[in-house]
Amino acid sequence: MGRALAVFIWVMTLATVWMFVDGRWWFPESITAHGPAYDRQFLISIIVVGLTFAAAQIGLGVMLWRYGSSRRGGNERAVYSHGSNRLEVVWTIVTAVIFVSLGLMGQRVWAQLHFNNAPAGSAQIRVTAQQFQWNFHYPGADNKFGRTDPAKIADASANFIGLDEDSPGAKDDVVVPTLAVQVDRPVELVLSARDVTHSIWVPELRFKQDLVPGLNISVHFTPVKTGKFELACAELCGQLHYKMKSYLLVLPENEYREMAALPPAQFKTRMTELLKKYPLGSVPH
Ligand SMILES: [Cu+2]
């Protein structure tokens, strides 16, 4: 029995390692400037953890093979041991060094995105999540956001973010359920939530960020590929959470500028057209 179990463990280990090495199940392509650094860091982590995992499982199999009970041999007597302080110290230190180093390396990439301010000249888009939809607020042709006031929120008249129509800069503001950005230009998203915690996730962007009621959380990224990508809420936010999906459109400069300059009604029509125009995925160059 011991040997059969040993073989089973080895086969399982091999199958698990193969799943990752094969590359068939992997992330979708990255479309941001910081994406490759994220992916490199992930790869380093998965290799380190994968080697440790394989070594531990193979070792477990070896122990079973040698010392597992079996009528057909294979039951060498194991040596009884009280443990070894030196070994304990060594593997604790080695593990700590590996994990802390991986943490520090990952932190650098992460901090670039979360601790630094968005680069000058970033396009700003405000994002207000609510049960169960996304509201993306664009400043319009004047590039100025109108004032928003929670008291003015009126879902019945589609004022989901409480935009004060009479405030300066509000007239040309657009609020739509789709996120559209310009390729090769940094974007800053200012995230907030109306009711409960939501989380914005586009796997191709290589980040996921919570939207928390009462907070304005700023994130930034630079898309480097055009196309249409799925955008989902990644925080279980209520019964219809599954419906909280949308799209990210990364548009070529001329297409984006042209749309951004349109008055609200035409902006919305154009957005619908562009959503239809692009198939899912990035546009090959
Ligand atoms: Cu949600």
Side-chain angles (χ1 to χ4, degrees), residues 129-132 134 196-199 233-238 241 244:
Q130 72 181 88
Q131 289 170 319
F132 296 92
W134 294 101
V196 298
T197 304
H198 302 272
S199 182
C233 177
E235 180 68 52
L236 185 56
C237 57
H241 161 67
M244 213 170 148

Side-chain angles (χ1 to χ4, degrees), residues 31-222:
I31 58 159
T32 42
H34 69 269
Y38 255 66
D39 289 359
R40 216 172 307 126
Q41 185 57 39
F42 185 86
L43 197 66
I44 294 171
S45 300
I46 201 85
I47 288 172
V48 171
V49 174
L51 286 174
T52 315
F53 165 78
Q57 298 307 305
I58 290 167
L60 179 63
V62 169
M63 292 302 144
L64 274 164
W65 184 272
R66 286 181 63 175
Y67 305 114
S69 67
S70 161
R71 262 166 274 140
R72 289 176 288 125
N75 49 349
E76 237 178 273
R77 272 188 87 85
V79 183
Y80 185 76
S81 148
H82 283 281
S84 158
N85 283 340
R86 202 200 295 163
L87 260 182
E88 300 253 5
V89 168
V90 169
W91 71 50
T92 304
I93 290 177
V94 169
T95 312
V97 168
I98 290 176
F99 274 91
V100 171
S101 319
L102 282 177
L104 287 176
M105 285 164 77
Q107 150 88 15
R108 252 206 346 244
V109 188
W110 187 87
Q112 263 176 20
L113 204 69
H114 292 267
F115 288 168
N116 295 344
N117 289 331
S122 301
Q124 210 189 65
I125 298 167
R126 297 188 181 165
V127 188
T128 307
Q130 72 181 88
Q131 289 170 319
F132 296 92
Q133 71 181 51
W134 294 101
N135 303 298
F136 296 100
H137 180 189
Y138 300 81
D142 65 356
N143 214 17
K144 283 198 180 62
F145 287 98
R147 201 175 65 91
T148 54
D149 178 353
K152 292 196 180 287
I153 289 175
D155 287 357
S157 51
N159 191 355
F160 302 111
I161 62 166
L163 182 66
D164 179 354
E165 296 281 355
D166 301 322
S167 64
K171 280 280 171 283
D172 58 355
D173 284 19
V174 188
V175 182
V176 284
T178 311
L179 176 59
V181 298
Q182 178 187 319
V183 73
D184 293 329
R185 181 180 178 194
V187 190
E188 181 184 21
L189 301 180
V190 181
L191 310 167
S192 60
R194 253 179 57 176
D195 34 41
V196 298
T197 304
H198 302 272
S199 182
I200 187 166
W201 189 32
V202 179
E204 286 86 351
L205 286 184
R206 298 295 190 270
F207 81 75
K208 187 194 278 175
Q209 175 63 52
D210 279 3
L211 298 91
V212 184
L215 292 183
N216 285 318
I217 299 172
S218 165
V219 287
H220 57 94
F221 61 90
T222 307

